[in-house]
Amino acid sequence: MSLRRLALASTASAGAALGAYVANDEGARRSARFWYNAAPVYARYRLVQARHRDLRRLGVPEWIGATLSDADADAAYDALHDAYAMKVRDLVYDMRGFYLKNAQLLSTRDDFVPRQYLSWCKDTQDSAPVEMRPGEAREIAERELASKGHTGVFEEWDENPLGVASIGQAHRAKLSKKYGGKTVVVKVQALGIERRFRADIRTCIDFCKLAMPQHVPPLEEIERQFMTEFDYCAEAENLEEVRSTVMPVWGKQVYIPAPHTELCTKQVLIMDEVPGKRLVDGIRDQFDAIARYNGTSVSDLEEKERENIASGSLKGRDAKQAAQYTKRVNTLLTFKHRLLLPIKLAYNTSPLRLVTGPVNCQPPPKLINLGALLQTLIDVHAYEIFETGVFNGDPHPGNIMLMPDGRLGLIDYGQVKRIDINARRAYAKLILAVAEGDAAECHKIVQSEKPDGFGAKSHNSDPEVTLKLSTFWNDRDTPDVTEGLNLQEFLDEMQARDPVIKAPDEMVMIARVSVLLRGMGNAFNIRLRMAEAWREDAEKLLMRTDPDYFLLPTNRAS
């Protein structure tokens, strides 16, 4: 056999082996599908970025026609969003797993995510397409419980899911009298989802190693944390622990459901039902009520609000300011209604009503005080992070309920992170350093070895880059921080100035909480600065554990 024929035969054999591997290994099939679909999309976006940013930085003159102006780049990006948003949605919904989890995170960033993607990302918070066939969730639950010796557990089962998440779905059920007869919520994990999730994260990490290396270290920490989400017995323990520490202090503001630990398995979690509606549904209902009261449509009302925000006439507030503003508006609306009601009633009993018709005498819908609700979330998560060291790393809107008694129901504790007192103290110092804009101190905390810092490393050890990244992840992402760049361009720029060698792993999940809470605020036109919002809690911790720290107010004053 000639060398050429041998080479061809070897190539064919290798290709056949690879094809057989991909065909028979689900993780490989999913990885191949991701690369096949994602690589061309990424390449087209990167091409626009290169023509808009990179070639201009290199000094390529415009007359050559290779570069793009700001306006041309915006138009090119918009065309790509139109071309790919629905294709990416279909791929995410079909593959689910880690891709659906990422869409949930992006759904909170109205300020960063293009509208074409945002419209469907928001649906992933609580209404992603059902993965299980009808009856499958109950079959899995009953089979899992039977393996622990529990039979005849359910008297009733609502086949319509209460919510569909990235790894499973939740159903309302009624326990049989043998098991107490309570109405409960049953979370059921989809079969094989853990294996798919692991494969998807590795695929994303491999992709980032080639295309966006700055994302690799935090992704690896997220991978470690997400793997705990697949044991519902562990989630039941998380619920018990957080409930026992949070409810005694915050029970008037929030409610955390109690798990039925004896009825939990690795794939099934049974917990008390939280009455009410999801936060996102409550906001939608409020918009619908306001639109009907004003004789308009929800879409018109939303468009008017977007225009007001864009024009600057509807100014952003922090959570406390927004809470006070909403309270004043509700008081004013009630006063106006009571003042005008006698006139309206008189008009409706007069002959004039025959000409123009009766006027609406119903009281105006009361606005949900989103500022107050968001402030509660900020305070509760600060308590978890600084006081107990056990916190929920996934507080997105789909995991928050509006209860009839005015409290917030917190329902998902699959991604609970535990940090020791050293990490809590270091993070408290970082919050003060970020709030003060102290680049040297911020850099010292982030890059000092544990237990004094977070043990991060970067190639150039640039304090200004450390301050910008720490501020971006833990405080705010305003133009003074991002230098007017979009999310990806900003992270690319920071990576170019000072490449990350090791990420501050203990900080990743706390930063995720900050990003999610800020994203929720941005969606409500509430602009949060988390360093200021958490400053008081950070100072309380340091007053107990390191009272001589130089950024504490008492020491700055002296």
Side-chain angles (χ1 to χ4, degrees), residues 44-45 47-49 51-52 68-83:
R44 291 199 64 186
Y45 275 99
L47 178 60
V48 173
Q49 185 184 54
R51 294 181 63 192
H52 175 235
L68 292 175
S69 66
D70 291 347
D72 289 339
D74 288 343
Y77 280 131
D78 210 45
L80 291 176
H81 302 334
D82 289 337

Side-chain angles (χ1 to χ4, degrees), residues 73 133 141 144 164 394 430 475 487 546:
R133 59 176 170 76
E144 283 282 303
V164 180
D394 193 27
L430 182 70
D475 182 34
L487 171 63
D546 193 354

Side-chain angles (χ1 to χ4, degrees), residues 149-269:
H150 298 294
T151 57
V153 174
F154 304 113
E155 181 179 307
E156 298 175 8
W157 181 281
D158 187 347
E159 196 56 48
N160 294 316
L162 289 170
V164 180
S166 56
I167 69 170
Q169 55 197 53
H171 291 260
R172 180 183 288 109
K174 184 178 181 182
L175 298 177
S176 63
K177 291 182 180 178
K178 175 182 174 183
Y179 289 95
K182 291 184 70 173
T183 299
V184 295
V185 172
V186 186
K187 289 179 64 174
V188 183
Q189 192 176 130
L191 295 175
I193 189 64
E194 181 176 359
R195 183 178 63 253
R196 299 199 298 271
F197 218 92
R198 288 181 182 274
D200 294 345
I201 294 181
R202 292 315 309 172
T203 298
C204 288
I205 289 174
D206 290 341
F207 176 80
C208 287
K209 283 179 178 177
L210 290 176
M212 297 174 284
Q214 68 272 24
H215 292 296
V216 172
L219 262 179
E220 290 176 337
E221 168 59 19
I222 288 172
E223 177 185 28
R224 287 189 290 271
Q225 186 63 35
F226 274 10
M227 290 306 104
T228 65
E229 193 171 6
F230 299 100
D231 186 349
Y232 281 170
C233 286
E235 182 172 346
E237 292 175 3
N238 293 340
L239 270 173
E240 285 276 27
E241 183 175 2
V242 178
R243 177 183 167 85
S244 68
T245 57
V246 171
M247 289 291 287
V249 180
W250 294 96
K252 292 182 179 180
Q253 289 85 15
V254 302
Y255 174 75
I256 299 171
H260 294 241
T261 51
E262 74 284 0
L263 296 177
C264 293
T265 73
K266 189 175 187 295
Q267 289 183 283
V268 175
L269 170 63

